Amino acid sequence: MTAVRETPASAPRALGLLDRVNVAAGYAVGALLGLATISVTYQILIRFVLDHFGVNIAAPWTEEVARYALIWVVFVGAGVVCRYSGLIAVDIVPHALPSPYGRYVKIAAILVTIAFFGVLAWMGVEFAATGSIETSPVMRIPMTVVYLAVPVGSALAVVNLSALLLEGLFGGRDIVETGSEASE
């Protein structure tokens, strides 16, 4: 994941709050990755190491923990990296065009991405609502807890992309180079 940058002192207060939310979300993503790693490691130890010594322990919950943690990691992580244009993108067109045209292409791409995540958030809310009647097979948790990753991460992406766009339009940020600096 890309490093979280400090908000300049001249930035509006809302951007500072958004960046603090992103830092907290980044820590949550890290914690969920750690949980998934521990869960998978535990499953490997049980399945291959202990079984080799004749110890048979069942831990079917480890697969669900890892899977559901990674679902949250993907959606919340994608929402966070949107703040710095960190999603995978083909940036050759905006870089190849003269400055004002490249900027228009990048703005159009951000607007399309905002629309995509907006639709995904809306559909995710509807999908999460259907999860209230389902439970996970092993841990018996409501699937709404899992399905909420889609609208939460998508809403975070919409807010972060909107902030990126506003900074590019009114804050003097070079919107064409934003994705390039995130990968360095």
Side-chain angles (χ1 to χ4, degrees):
M1 185 162 27
T2 60
V4 177
R5 291 162 185 80
E6 292 294 317
T7 304
S10 61
R13 178 177 247 164
L15 290 181
L17 175 64
L18 179 59
D19 287 339
R20 286 193 297 278
V21 168
N22 284 324
V23 168
Y27 283 124
V29 165
L32 287 170
L33 275 173
L35 178 65
T37 302
I38 290 168
S39 175
V40 169
T41 302
Y42 183 69
Q43 179 67 350
I44 289 170
L45 288 173
I46 288 173
R47 190 175 289 182
F48 297 108
V49 176
L50 293 181
D51 190 51
H52 180 71
F53 294 109
V55 179
N56 294 322
I57 300 173
W61 56 269
T62 57
E63 183 183 342
E64 281 189 8
V65 167
R67 181 183 314 133
Y68 300 154
L70 288 177
I71 289 169
W72 274 91
V73 164
V74 166
F75 283 99
V76 174
V80 170
V81 299
C82 281
R83 178 72 175 96
Y84 306 103
S85 192
L87 291 175
I88 295 174
V90 178
D91 282 342
I92 193 165
V93 174
H95 286 96
L97 293 172
S99 182
Y101 299 114
R103 183 177 169 173
Y104 296 143
V105 168
K106 187 74 171 198
I107 289 169
I110 291 172
L111 289 172
V112 168
T113 308
I114 288 172
F116 169 77
F117 277 116
V119 169
L120 194 60
W122 174 66
M123 292 176 68
V125 168
E126 290 183 354
F127 192 64
T130 64
S132 63
I133 59 173
E134 296 179 57
T135 58
S136 66
V138 176
M139 295 188 308
R140 312 306 282 166
I141 61 169
M143 290 304 291
T144 300
V145 173
V146 178
Y147 298 158
L148 277 174
V150 176
V152 168
S154 297
L156 184 60
V158 167
V159 171
N160 279 326
L161 285 166
S162 299
L164 176 67
L165 183 63
L166 291 173
E167 279 185 333
L169 292 174
F170 307 112
R173 188 172 192 172
D174 186 0
I175 204 162
V176 174
E177 295 299 325
T178 303
S180 301
E181 70 189 31
S183 62
E184 294 176 356

